[in-house]
Every structure is written in C-alpha cells, then in structure tokens.
Amino acid sequence: MRDVAERAGVAASTASLVFSGRGPVAETTAQRVRSAAAELGYVGPDPRASSLRRGRAGAVGVLVEGRLLQAFRDPFAVAVLDGLAQELDAVPTGMLLVAQPFDEPERAMEAVTGLAIDAFVFSMCGPTESPLVDHLAARGIPMAGTGAPLDRRVCQVLIDEAGSQGDAVRHLRSLGHRRIGHVTMPMRPVVDGGPLRPSDLDRAVYVDSRDRARGFLATAGRRAPVVEAVMPDVEGGIAAARLLLDVPDEARPTAIAAQSDLLAAGVIQTAAELGLRVPDDLSVTGFDGVSLPWLAAPLTTIDQHAEEKGRALGRLVARLLDGVPADQIDDVTIATDLRIGGTTAPPAH
Amino acid sequence: MRDVAERAGVAASTASLVFSGRGPVAETTAQRVRSAAAELGYVGPDPRASSLRRGRAGAVGVLVEGRLLQAFRDPFAVAVLDGLAQELDAVPTGMLLVAQPFDEPERAMEAVTGLAIDAFVFSMCGPTESPLVDHLAARGIPMAGTGAPLDRRVCQVLIDEAGSQGDAVRHLRSLGHRRIGHVTMPMRPVVDGGPLRPSDLDRAVYVDSRDRARGFLATAGRRAPVVEAVMPDVEGGIAAARLLLDVPDEARPTAIAAQSDLLAAGVIQTAAELGLRVPDDLSVTGFDGVSLPWLAAPLTTIDQHAEEKGRALGRLVARLLDGVPADQIDDVTIATDLRIGGTTAPPAH
DNA sequence: GTTTCGAGTCGAATCGATTCGATACTATCT
DNA sequence: AGATAGTATCGAATCGATTCGACTCGAAAC
C-alpha cells in the first residue's frame, strides 16, 4: 500500500482511508489512488495486517464433532449451519470449520489455538464440557452454542428437549398407544448402543439426547423400552429398531418415538423389512422436522425449526461481535411444534 | 508476550522461541517463561500477529455455491469435503467456508477480499469461469478445484466425466436396453429444467453435467431423451423422471441413467409412484457412489470415490501450501468404477 | 478583517508477534 | 593456552496495515 500511496502522491494513511472507505477523502484523490493501485496490480489491503490492527479476523470458528461426513449426514445439522450462515453473511463474517475428532478431542484445541477468530460457535449439542471453553474465554473470544457446553460463558439457543419429546409421546398416547418404544441418539461421543436403563442417563454427556429420553420416560412410563443408537443416522435407527421390533408380537411396541428424523427413517425401514406396515402396524414419530423427500409418507415429527435455530444462533453471535458481553445476553428458547404426518395412526388392536 | 518475557526475565524473542518451539531454548528458561505466562493468564501468541509476520493464516477458503443447506444436501459434496478435511487436518489448516449465492455471485468476492487465507478450493464443480480466480491470483493465493473454474492457475482433480457416464450406459446396453433416458444435473446456476437438446449443451457452464451428458449421448445415441433437473437433488430427480416416465408405454424408456445418485433416487421414487417396478420394469443407474442407506436396494452407479477425490484435492492443496507453483503441479485424474447394484436388469420385453 | 469551521491530508505510533544476525558463554579438542 | 564448535540468548528490524491528533487551507460568518 505504501507503494500505491507513493505513486499516487499521497500519504499511506490517506490511501488506507480510500480502501477502507472511512474518513473523508476528495474524490479526485481517491481516483488517483485507485488508478495507482490498478497500475501496480494492488488488490486491496492485506487481510492479515488489517486483522492485526483492527483486532478483527472476520471469521468465527464453528465446531464440528467427529468427521464432517458423519456430522453433515444429518440434514438437521446442515440446516442449523445454513441458518447460522445466513445471519453471519450479513455481518459479514466467514465460518471456519474446526474439527474435533471423537478419539482425540485435544486436536480441536491445537487447531483453535492458531486460528484467528472473533467468536466461536458450538452449533451442535456436544458434550456438556469442553476444554475449549477455558481457552477461548482466556483469549477473550465470545462463545455461543445450542445447549452445550454448559457454561455461563457460552450463550445458548435452546429448545425444551424433554417437553418436546413428551409432546410426541402424548400424541401417540392420545391415539391409543400404550406400548411405546424409544430410540435415542448416542449419549456420548462413542457408544456401543443397545438397551438403555433410566439410570444410564445420569452418565450421559450429550444433554439433548439425555433430556429427550427423560421427557420420553416421564410421559411413556419409566418401564417403556429405550434403545440407544450407535450413530444418529439411518443405519443407527435401523439397528436400534431391530432390537425393539424383532421380538414376539405381544412384546412388540405399537409405536416408536425416535429422537431424530433420521433415526425414524431407519425405524420405518426396519419395519418394512419385518413386514410391518407404517402406520397400520407401527406408528413412528421423529424429531427435528427436516425435509426427507425420499420418505414415502411425511413423517410425524417435532419441528424444532432448524434454520430458525441457526439464525437465532447467528443473531446471538452478531451481538457478541458487537461487543455485548456474554453475561448480558439472555439465552434464547425456540418453540417446537408437533407436526402430524402420515406415520402415526391408532394401533391396530 | 512482552509482559510475559519481562516477567520471566528474558527477551521477547526468546519467549517467542519458547511458544513456537523452533530454536534452542534451555529447559529452565522455557519453564520460567511458561510459568510467567500461566501467572499472567497468557494463552499463547496472538494468531493475528503471528499470521501477519509469518505470512500464513492457517486456513484455506472453500467455495460453497448457493446455500449450505442445498449444497450439503448431496452426500457426495460432503464426502469430498470430508476427504479434503482429512488431508488439511494433517497440514494443519482450517477450512473457511465462502458462500457464493446464485443470485449475487459478487458477494463471494467481497467475502474473499477480507479473508486471510493461504489457498482456495473450488471443491464442487461450479461455473467454468469465476471472477475469484483473477483476484486470488493477484493476491498470490494458490487455487485448486475439481473441474472448474477452467484456468491453468487452478490445479485440478478430475474424473473422466464423459467416459464414466458412458460406462453406465454401456452396462445398460449390454443388458439389452435400447430406449435409455438421461436425467442431468443443472447445467448452470439457475435453470428451468426440462427436455434438453444436444445443442443446448454448448451453452452449459457446469462442465461436469455437460460432459456426462455428452458421454451419454455418445453411447446411447444422439436421439435419446435427455431431461435437465432443476436441482441436483431427490426432488429434482422426481420432477425430471416424470417427464420421461409419465408417457405412453411404447414411448417410455426401459432404463434411465441419472447423473447423480440423488437424482437416481428421485427417479426410483417416481417409478414407484407410477407403478413401475425397479429393476423389472425400469432399470436405473446413478452416479457418484455415495451411501444412501434409505434406498431399498443398492443402486447401480458409477463410484467416483468422493472421499478419495477430496483427499487428492487436499494433497494438492498441501503441495501448493508447501510453495510448489501451480504450473508445476499436474492435474490428478481419479479412476471411476461401475458398481452394479440391484437397480438394473434386462428389460422385460 | 478576523474568527470559525470543516473538509482533506499527513506523520507517527501502534497492533503483537517472528526472524536474522550478532554476541556471550561453555565445552571439547589439539 | 588457544582454537573451534556449539548452545543459549538478545536487539533490532520487519510483516502491512489502521488510527488519532495535528495541521493546512479555503470558505462562510460576524
């Protein structure tokens, strides 16, 4: 920029004003600077230097737990991210993906340590605690999340997990179902899956799965069968559903409430494999309210307005970037809606 | 850092050596510096300053065309990104998402202008040209892509689009199919969709869709019916398939080659709606080779090894970051494989 | 005819590290 | 003892902008 300024016959500070657009510059001077820049092939201030001086990097970190491939397999995760992107785009601020492998969480630390970011987002509900929080707090980087990590330094966008899951179960009960099963998402980064006892919930580190399971038990009864999926995807739903459905008729639930739409899709597929018709022989509810155009019938589900959730998160981040201290920002709660589709009906008998 | 150095009784340069780990420092000195840092609550060098001095930002830009929600709906896109992330994680380098809305492509320019990045990746095959290329080249930022933008300053990871699509068609022909239809991805950012004439291909800006269509026509015959989908997703496939299948029996193709697995899923769904059995009444091939666990039968498809493609891209980026000039790096071509599943069979009559 | 004002410009300080060459000191070898 | 090598540390220059207060100058106000 120094060269450009020299060539235009102005001080470097004036050239800076031309490029940044703040401060008064005569139009003729600006022209001269711009043409000097063009002649020298200068394409604008170096973002690195600009970022140092301004104290702004123009990007926020976004944590992705596990592998991208797996994290983004869920349309819900992507929808939240999309909403977040919409709001951040207006700031404007970029999104810097930070991977946190399940097997070596400290990798995320190393990555974050060297990254120039203005804020950090835990966009998916991950573990209740994270070493990142202390580090970021020490660096003065504000944080936002959706339920986790549980720390008052992290601003949250929440939903009523337990209550919403209860809504789904109440819908099933109102249809007449009494034997209702539950398929949960994993309760921690790596799980074996399989039947879950109520007491197991106390060791959960993923609050969303845990609280939904609690909501389920509170509404369906503490003896209702609960199975934890190994992964929160269709395959996970298939495997979990087999445990619930591949049993003698009299023991089989007449309805299954799954903790996500993807899991519900797996349940539906397993039902088909076992010759059970949905909703005639088995009612299925999901959770999330994402679009799954490949399902034959629209899913009965709890719509948690993923995109809006992401936007709310983005607005929180925008306020944090504006300098509002985290402790002056109230957590936001998004309302959820029971959306009745074609996968629930009264039980056959 | 100055304060930390002072407190530890060393020069700032020595403290820097302690934190960066390069250069010899006596263990006792290092200890002193570290404990001084701990006492002062210093958590390491400011990435912004470090980035300015070192000339490295520790992040690469990744272009996302359109909205995240839509771009990441395709597991193929995510798988490529995942492979990319794997390699970049080893560098290590973060991924900075840069959105390029269909309606205002210049937004991407503004975003990129202010971002500190060391390289740029066009991970999905986008338009043949992009204004970003000139800008990034001027800033000396190396670029890599998968087929687009077509510019010798952009290193490419490619597949044989036309030949691979031809493989799928040859498979169908070898089964005895003679009336074969084709469902293409969009040929430009915004399209109306619908029947496509061979001459339309000359106006395409997405090279992958175009070349696959050319490969199709070369193998299936230039009069074979081709329909362009409005979006490269399941819904797009459904709508396109209706145009091909909802016709009198004698005009209906006995097989459809889709340009992506998602489109193929849409074709299969439409077939079901119309009472056509797959593969008995209609054979369907996809393209990509991604995992779609919600499909009843495994799809016959062209596996283009998405994750490996992403990793190859990542390795290219790693070399560029190592300082190898773009013109010294040869384009990489990934081999594709025809993977025969349960959606193709000889025609009924 | 002075004062006041504001637009436009500039110089210098600053953001917070990294790096290079110089220097001091210790250990090893002849 | 003197040369040689190697280790540890330091000072100063540098990366490339941004920002603040000071300054100039012409026009408007009194």
Side-chain angles (χ1 to χ4, degrees):
Chain A
M1 196 163 98
R2 194 192 311 280
D3 298 343
V4 171
E6 196 172 342
R7 176 158 193 142
V10 300
S13 51
T14 303
S16 174
L17 294 179
V18 172
F19 292 113
S20 68
R22 57 193 112 222
V25 178
E27 185 49 35
T28 58
T29 313
Q31 291 289 356
R32 233 169 342 120
V33 171
R34 273 190 285 265
S35 55
E39 288 161 27
L40 289 164
Y42 176 84
V43 290
D46 182 327
R48 285 180 294 248
S50 173
S51 136
L52 170 60
R53 183 63 239 239
R54 301 234 262 233
R56 274 298 170 83
V60 305
V62 176
L63 188 71
V64 178
E65 253 204 301
R67 284 176 53 184
L68 242 58
L69 187 55
Q70 188 234 304
F72 290 168
R73 182 167 298 191
D74 193 339
F76 174 71
V78 177
V80 172
L81 230 51
D82 187 54
L84 179 64
Q86 289 171 38
E87 291 290 333
L88 292 183
D89 193 52
V91 173
T93 279
M95 299 197 313
L96 194 34
L97 264 31
V98 176
Q100 175 157 47
F102 286 134
D103 43 348
E104 31 180 355
E106 57 291 351
R107 292 297 300 273
M109 259 300 246
E110 295 167 29
V112 165
T113 310
L115 288 178
I117 47 176
D118 301 325
F120 198 82
V121 180
F122 299 86
S123 69
M124 290 295 103
C125 186
T128 34
E129 300 194 340
S130 167
L132 291 175
V133 175
D134 278 336
H135 172 82
L136 291 165
R139 271 174 65 189
I141 294 177
M143 294 164 273
T146 54
L150 274 176
D151 191 299
R152 66 175 190 296
R153 291 168 293 183
V154 182
C155 299
Q156 307 281 2
V157 175
L158 303 165
I159 62 165
D160 176 3
E161 307 278 0
S164 303
Q165 187 64 73
D167 289 344
V169 177
R170 267 184 292 278
H171 164 61
L172 292 169
R173 289 189 63 86
S174 74
L175 288 170
H177 293 277
R178 288 300 173 266
R179 289 204 309 281
I180 306 177
H182 191 40
V183 175
T184 81
M185 301 184 285
M187 300 269 166
R188 42 182 64 244
V190 179
V191 297
D192 292 331
L196 213 62
R197 284 161 311 165
S199 60
D200 294 334
L201 294 183
D202 299 331
R203 297 200 309 274
V205 303
Y206 288 169
V207 275
D208 54 352
S209 335
R210 185 196 61 194
D211 292 350
R212 286 179 204 175
R214 287 191 174 145
F216 170 84
L217 290 171
T219 322
R222 295 191 57 81
R223 297 180 48 204
V226 176
V227 173
E228 179 185 27
V230 179
M231 294 288 255
D233 55 18
V234 176
E235 281 113 325
I238 291 174
R242 288 213 182 100
L243 294 179
L244 287 171
L245 296 177
D246 200 2
V247 297
D249 280 7
E250 62 280 9
R252 186 181 307 127
T254 61
I256 291 184
Q259 277 193 359
S260 84
D261 289 348
L262 242 37
L263 291 173
V267 173
I268 290 172
Q269 186 156 328
T270 296
E273 278 170 20
L274 296 174
L276 298 167
R277 291 161 305 163
V278 173
D280 313 72
D281 302 322
L282 181 75
S283 284
V284 178
T285 64
F287 200 119
D288 286 343
V290 298
S291 148
L292 300 179
W294 33 266
L295 274 185
L299 189 63
T300 296
T301 190
I302 299 294
D303 190 348
Q304 59 166 320
H305 310 288
E307 221 175 296
E308 174 52 28
K309 196 173 183 179
R311 278 195 298 261
L313 200 51
R315 285 191 294 268
L316 235 47
V317 173
R319 292 182 62 194
L320 290 167
L321 291 176
D322 262 358
V324 184
D327 52 23
Q328 277 181 32
I329 297 185
D330 290 331
D331 289 353
V332 176
T333 299
I334 305 269
T336 61
D337 297 304
L338 171 66
R339 223 173 52 198
I340 297 173
T343 58
T344 46
H349 40 98
Chain B
M1 199 164 95
R2 193 192 313 278
D3 297 343
V4 172
E6 195 172 342
R7 176 160 192 139
V10 300
S13 52
T14 303
S16 173
L17 293 178
V18 172
F19 292 113
S20 69
R22 55 194 115 220
V25 178
E27 184 49 35
T28 58
T29 314
Q31 291 289 356
R32 231 165 348 117
V33 172
R34 274 191 284 265
S35 55
E39 289 161 26
L40 288 161
Y42 176 84
V43 290
D46 183 328
R48 285 180 294 248
S50 171
S51 137
L52 170 60
R53 182 62 237 238
R54 301 236 261 232
R56 274 299 170 85
V60 305
V62 177
L63 188 70
V64 178
E65 254 204 300
R67 285 176 51 184
L68 243 57
L69 187 54
Q70 187 236 303
F72 291 170
R73 179 168 300 190
D74 193 338
F76 174 71
V78 178
V80 172
L81 229 52
D82 188 53
L84 179 64
Q86 288 171 36
E87 291 292 333
L88 293 182
D89 192 53
V91 173
T93 279
M95 299 197 313
L96 193 35
L97 264 32
V98 176
Q100 175 156 49
F102 288 135
D103 43 348
E104 32 178 356
E106 57 290 352
R107 291 298 299 274
M109 259 300 244
E110 294 167 29
V112 164
T113 311
L115 288 178
I117 48 176
D118 301 325
F120 198 83
V121 181
F122 299 87
S123 69
M124 290 296 103
C125 185
T128 33
E129 300 193 341
S130 168
L132 291 175
V133 175
D134 279 335
H135 172 83
L136 291 165
R139 270 175 66 190
I141 295 178
M143 294 164 273
T146 54
L150 274 176
D151 191 300
R152 65 175 192 295
R153 292 167 292 184
V154 182
C155 300
Q156 307 281 3
V157 175
L158 303 166
I159 62 166
D160 176 3
E161 308 279 0
S164 303
Q165 186 64 73
D167 289 344
V169 176
R170 267 184 292 278
H171 165 62
L172 291 170
R173 288 189 63 87
S174 75
L175 289 171
H177 292 278
R178 289 300 173 267
R179 288 205 310 282
I180 306 177
H182 190 42
V183 174
T184 81
M185 301 185 286
M187 300 269 164
R188 42 181 65 245
V190 179
V191 297
D192 292 333
L196 214 63
R197 285 161 310 165
S199 60
D200 293 334
L201 294 182
D202 300 330
R203 296 199 311 273
V205 303
Y206 288 170
V207 276
D208 54 352
S209 335
R210 184 196 61 194
D211 293 349
R212 286 179 205 176
R214 287 191 175 145
F216 170 83
L217 290 171
T219 322
R222 296 192 56 81
R223 297 178 49 204
V226 177
V227 173
E228 180 185 26
V230 180
M231 295 287 255
D233 56 17
V234 177
E235 281 114 324
I238 291 174
R242 288 215 182 99
L243 294 179
L244 287 171
L245 297 176
D246 200 2
V247 297
D249 280 8
E250 61 280 9
R252 185 183 306 126
T254 61
I256 291 184
Q259 278 193 357
S260 85
D261 290 349
L262 242 37
L263 291 173
V267 173
I268 291 172
Q269 187 156 327
T270 296
E273 278 171 19
L274 296 174
L276 299 167
R277 291 162 306 164
V278 174
D280 313 73
D281 302 321
L282 180 76
S283 285
V284 179
T285 65
F287 201 119
D288 286 343
V290 297
S291 147
L292 301 180
W294 33 268
L295 274 185
L299 189 63
T300 296
T301 190
I302 300 294
D303 191 348
Q304 60 165 320
H305 308 289
E307 222 175 296
E308 173 52 29
K309 197 174 183 180
R311 279 195 297 261
L313 200 52
R315 286 191 294 267
L316 234 48
V317 173
R319 292 182 62 195
L320 290 167
L321 291 177
D322 262 358
V324 184
D327 52 25
Q328 277 180 31
I329 297 184
D330 290 332
D331 290 351
V332 175
T333 299
I334 305 269
T336 61
D337 297 305
L338 172 66
R339 223 172 54 198
I340 297 173
T343 58
T344 46
H349 39 97

